[in-house]
Amino acid sequence: MIKIISFKICPFVQRVTAALAAKNIAYEIEYISLSDKPQWFLDISPNGQVPVMVTENGTSLFESDAIIEYIEDEYGPLEQHVTNEQRALDRAWSYLGSKHYLAQCGAMSSKDKATLEARFEKLYKAFQKAENQLTGSTQFFKSDALSNVDLAWLPLLHRADIIKQNSGYDMLCGLPKMQAWQQAIMTSSLVEKTVSSDFVEKFSGFYLTNTYLAEGKDIVQTSCSGSANCCG
Ligand SMILES: N[C@@H](CCC(=O)N[C@@H](CS)C(=O)NCC(=O)O)C(=O)O
């Protein structure tokens, strides 16, 4: 069986588990400590990072983009009859999401409001681009069926939802089509299959403890993006 080497709150891992769950592919998962990486992990992970996927043949794959492409090549596409141009566009929109995972982690780790808003600005610009691309007439990014783009943005939208529920800070403030997309993803049965049962607890221990967002419902969100757009 496939094995995923993981760190519980890693968004790159969650993109991979989302791709596996969306295709009902069974896998085992092993969690490691990133502050004390075991030697066996360093031996199979050239970049020293999770996710690593150990295939059925025992080959260790690394870099989430490569793992996602392998899942598509090996187990078949999520969507049939996608043109080459559309596939390229889907990959590009997926990258726009996944290339902002670390920006979101950095923003959520901020100790004060000014740092949060400064770090969040780039991510919010990506959210605005997606808002402009969404039609608002379909449940998911392209249609009413899940696509690879949804899977790539799922970690961002999931984390933004937990932050909103616990702190009141809405990363999608002023972006109604993004909010609707987030709602569709969060109410699909997929999200819970992508993380461990203690995900929210682990995530909160990291991003909602000793951070600005940990101030919880006392947070007053005065702007949508760190600039002057008042959210009301
Ligand atoms: N480019 C990598 C990024 C993966 C990544 O940043 N993983 C983080 C956890 S979310 C990690 O393993 N950090 C440990 C380290 O960099 O030493 C990918 O797409 O797989």
Side-chain angles (χ1 to χ4, degrees):
M1 191 187 288
I2 289 171
K3 187 170 180 179
I4 303 294
I5 318 301
S6 172
F7 177 66
K8 280 198 175 166
I9 56 171
C10 174
F12 299 92
V13 172
Q14 193 181 11
R15 181 180 176 204
V16 168
T17 53
L20 292 169
K23 291 178 188 177
N24 287 316
I25 302 167
Y27 62 92
E28 293 175 83
I29 195 152
E30 178 160 356
Y31 300 103
I32 60 160
S33 161
L34 291 178
S35 54
D36 184 20
K37 297 172 189 165
Q39 188 56 46
W40 64 261
F41 169 72
L42 294 171
D43 290 343
I44 62 170
S45 176
N47 61 3
Q49 295 182 318
V50 294
V52 166
M53 172 191 271
V54 184
T55 70
E56 308 255 12
N57 298 325
T59 304
S60 298
L61 306 179
F62 64 105
E63 284 295 339
S64 56
D65 289 340
I67 296 172
I68 291 292
E69 286 176 20
Y70 168 79
I71 294 171
E72 188 99 343
D73 293 342
E74 183 69 14
Y75 298 96
L78 193 58
E79 294 177 284
Q80 301 299 323
H81 313 301
V82 175
T83 63
N84 290 341
E85 280 181 4
Q86 187 60 50
R87 191 175 309 107
L89 284 169
D90 290 352
R91 284 185 177 147
W93 280 103
S94 297
Y95 295 152
L96 192 69
S98 64
K99 298 310 167 210
H100 286 90
Y101 291 168
L102 292 179
Q104 187 183 43
C105 294
M108 293 185 301
S109 306
S110 303
K111 300 284 185 206
D112 56 69
K113 186 174 184 176
T115 309
L116 170 69
E117 292 189 339
R119 289 180 178 174
F120 182 54
E121 212 162 335
K122 224 172 120 188
L123 177 60
Y124 191 80
K125 283 192 177 128
F127 287 162
Q128 283 175 314
K129 299 277 181 213
E131 172 79 10
N132 293 339
Q133 181 70 13
L134 287 164
T135 63
S137 61
T138 61
Q139 234 188 317
F140 298 116
F141 189 76
K142 293 193 304 177
S143 71
D144 289 330
L146 275 174
S147 73
N148 287 336
V149 184
D150 299 292
L151 304 181
W153 284 71
L154 181 147
L156 293 171
L157 298 174
H158 186 194
R159 283 158 177 71
D161 183 67
I162 298 171
I163 292 295
K164 187 180 170 192
Q165 302 303 330
N166 288 277
S167 73
Y169 188 93
D170 187 0
M171 295 188 172
L172 304 179
C173 177
L175 305 174
K177 289 185 275 181
M178 287 294 287
Q179 289 167 340
W181 184 26
Q182 178 189 45
Q183 182 68 13
I185 297 261
M186 291 309 298
T187 52
S188 75
S189 58
L190 184 64
V191 175
E192 65 185 5
K193 296 181 193 159
T194 64
V195 287
S196 60
S197 53
D198 58 353
F199 176 76
V200 174
E201 185 194 325
K202 298 283 177 202
F203 176 87
S204 302
F206 212 85
Y207 294 112
L208 290 165
T209 307
N210 294 325
T211 59
Y212 173 66
L213 291 170
E215 291 173 25
K217 299 287 183 192
D218 292 339
I219 287 182
V220 180
Q221 190 169 0
T222 50
S223 70
C224 281
S225 63
S227 59
N229 296 331
C230 188
C231 227

